[in-house]
Amino acid sequence: MKGWGSLLLLLLTAGGSACAQTASDSTFSLFFNSSLNFNHANDPHINRWLKQYGYPTEPHVPTSISFEAAAMPANSRMLYSVHLSTITNASDLTAFNIGAGIFAAPVKTRQFMLFLGGSLGYHADIITLYGNLPPAYEDLSVKYNTPLALRRSGLSIAPMARFFLYPFRLGKVLQIGIIGGAGYVVDLNSMWRLGYYTIDSGKYDHFRKLVNKPSDQHKVSEHGFCLSAGLSLRFNLH
């Protein structure tokens, strides 16, 4: 409880400073952020399928690294951002998310900002099948003489609360700080598709679907709480 009390005291102090601030903030700010995200979401059906055929299951708490660029117009409490993230703690699973967000700051000072808002994006999950396969999959792998993969994609929706704290300043332009956030992520997945990736010029090209709906796969959307923490560079431009 001591940690939560300290955080509450910090928020109240920042809120009081924001209310006492009378000078207009005439700076245009650019933000470049990197963070680790911990998302409590998983797909129990695909995990049972992976375990049945000897593959590592999806992580119970997927961890991803995110890169974000954002901007706050002068005399505004609105933050507009774009982000790209990819999962880091899975063996045969590749996942990425790209999206944009909009946030409003009920608390805003030069050193501390609290934002409420959300992001909307596109995500894709790819599972490469290098091990055991069901008979129907094995026949297709032999026919096309290539490793197969399962792929799905869909929309990602994430309402969040975020804070930005800047204890360090270098000159008049650059601030260095920490960011954190908590929210709820909903991934609206499409059906898993079976196929393979072509290789042109020595690198992966596009995904070629082999069947529309494998009979042993299901469409399962994922959702869960998300926590994030990381570093931020803020450039204040006049």
Side-chain angles (χ1 to χ4, degrees):
M1 293 299 295
K2 184 177 179 181
W4 285 106
S6 300
L7 178 59
L8 179 60
L9 178 62
L10 175 63
L11 293 176
L12 291 176
T13 303
S17 299
C19 293
Q21 185 179 9
T22 57
S24 175
D25 185 1
S26 61
T27 59
F28 176 85
S29 296
L30 292 177
F31 302 79
F32 297 95
N33 310 316
S34 62
S35 61
L36 279 177
N37 309 310
F38 304 92
N39 182 12
H40 181 69
N42 55 77
D43 181 345
H45 179 270
I46 193 61
N47 276 342
R48 287 193 296 268
W49 189 94
L50 291 170
K51 186 176 181 180
Q52 178 183 353
Y53 290 100
Y55 293 93
T57 58
E58 289 188 9
H60 184 66
V61 180
T63 302
S64 61
I65 185 169
S66 176
F67 300 96
E68 178 186 45
M72 174 179 283
N75 299 313
S76 174
R77 290 177 176 263
M78 302 302 296
L79 181 75
Y80 306 93
S81 69
V82 292
H83 68 267
L84 172 67
S85 64
T86 183
I87 197 168
T88 61
N89 64 334
S91 299
D92 297 318
L93 171 68
T94 302
F96 69 88
N97 183 298
I98 184 170
I102 181 171
F103 302 88
V107 178
K108 177 188 176 184
T109 70
R110 293 184 183 276
Q111 287 76 36
F112 179 83
M113 291 173 287
L114 175 67
F115 290 99
L116 300 176
S119 62
L120 178 66
Y122 168 85
H123 78 92
D125 301 327
I126 303 164
I127 297 175
T128 305
L129 304 175
Y130 284 117
N132 296 325
L133 295 172
Y137 290 37
E138 184 68 40
D139 291 343
L140 290 169
S141 179
V142 172
K143 178 180 178 180
Y144 290 95
N145 192 30
T146 185
L148 300 182
L150 289 168
R151 184 182 187 275
R152 69 180 177 189
S153 59
L155 290 177
S156 180
I157 304 169
M160 296 194 73
R162 309 176 67 189
F163 75 85
F164 291 59
L165 177 64
Y166 294 98
F168 305 108
R169 176 184 288 272
L170 296 178
K172 296 182 178 180
V173 175
L174 176 61
Q175 290 179 274
I176 302 174
I178 59 174
I179 58 173
Y184 198 80
V185 177
V186 179
D187 288 339
L188 303 175
N189 300 320
S190 65
M191 180 71 70
W192 285 104
R193 308 294 185 182
L194 180 65
Y196 65 94
Y197 281 87
T198 60
I199 301 179
D200 295 335
S201 303
K203 63 181 181 180
Y204 284 103
D205 195 4
H206 61 282
F207 184 72
R208 293 185 182 272
K209 292 185 295 185
L210 297 179
V211 293
N212 288 330
K213 296 181 180 180
S215 58
D216 58 348
Q217 298 298 336
H218 294 278
K219 178 181 178 181
V220 177
S221 292
E222 297 174 290
H223 55 89
F225 291 99
C226 179
L227 298 176
S228 67
L231 299 176
S232 177
L233 300 178
R234 180 184 182 184
F235 295 87
N236 301 303
L237 307 176
H238 293 274

